[in-house]
């Protein structure tokens, strides 16, 4: 179905791009377990923290999805790292309380974003 959409949408030099994102801590509980850079409990908002293994698996997950988009005939992909979703949660010192290679300084908090972009 995606190939058919891409074929119809990319006529006369038009482009169709997929936006790759992950809701992270903002995931909808009935269909997913909210999980962000760090465990948080703020009023009724709660999420689990990601293990280092889970964080390190993110670049491959984004890259696999980018390959799917390419094979389906889409023109490209955009890595969504804004609006409070997972990658922007890593950038935020309010969401990211990690004390490993993915938390602390802005360089460390942005590490996963750079790794995802490099993998894609």
């Amino acid at each position: 179905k995606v190939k058919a959409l891409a074929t119809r949408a990319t006529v006369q030099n038009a482009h169709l791009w997929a936006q790759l994102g992950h809701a992270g801590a903002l995931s909808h509980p009935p269909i997913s377990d909210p999980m962000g850079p760090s465990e948080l409990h703020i009023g009724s908002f709660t999420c689990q923290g990601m293990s280092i293994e889970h964080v390190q698996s993110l670049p491959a997950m984004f890259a696999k999805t980018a390959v799917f988009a390419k094979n389906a005939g889409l023109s490209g992909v955009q890595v969504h790292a804004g609006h409070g979703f997972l990658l922007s949660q890593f950038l935020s010192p309010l969401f990211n309380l990690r004390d490993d290679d993915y938390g602390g300084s802005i360089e460390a908090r942005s590490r996963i974003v750079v790794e995802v972009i490099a993998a894609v």
Side-chain angles (χ1 to χ4, degrees), residues 17-98:
W17 289 58
Q19 187 178 69
L20 309 183
H22 185 308
L26 302 180
S27 296
H28 189 53
I31 59 171
S32 182
D33 293 324
M35 187 177 295
S38 305
E39 182 176 355
L40 295 174
H41 302 281
I42 304 168
S44 62
F45 174 79
T46 184
C47 76
Q48 300 173 41
M50 290 184 166
S51 68
I52 189 72
E53 294 80 16
H54 195 153
V55 173
Q56 291 172 339
S57 73
L58 292 171
M61 290 169 53
F62 275 83
K64 180 179 178 181
T65 306
V67 168
F68 173 83
K70 179 180 181 180
N71 291 340
L74 275 68
S75 306
V77 297
Q78 175 193 36
V79 175
H80 189 318
H83 307 108
F85 286 87
L86 182 63
L87 295 179
S88 67
Q89 292 166 20
F90 270 93
L91 296 173
S92 169
L94 302 176
F95 274 90
N96 186 345
L97 308 175
R98 300 180 73 91

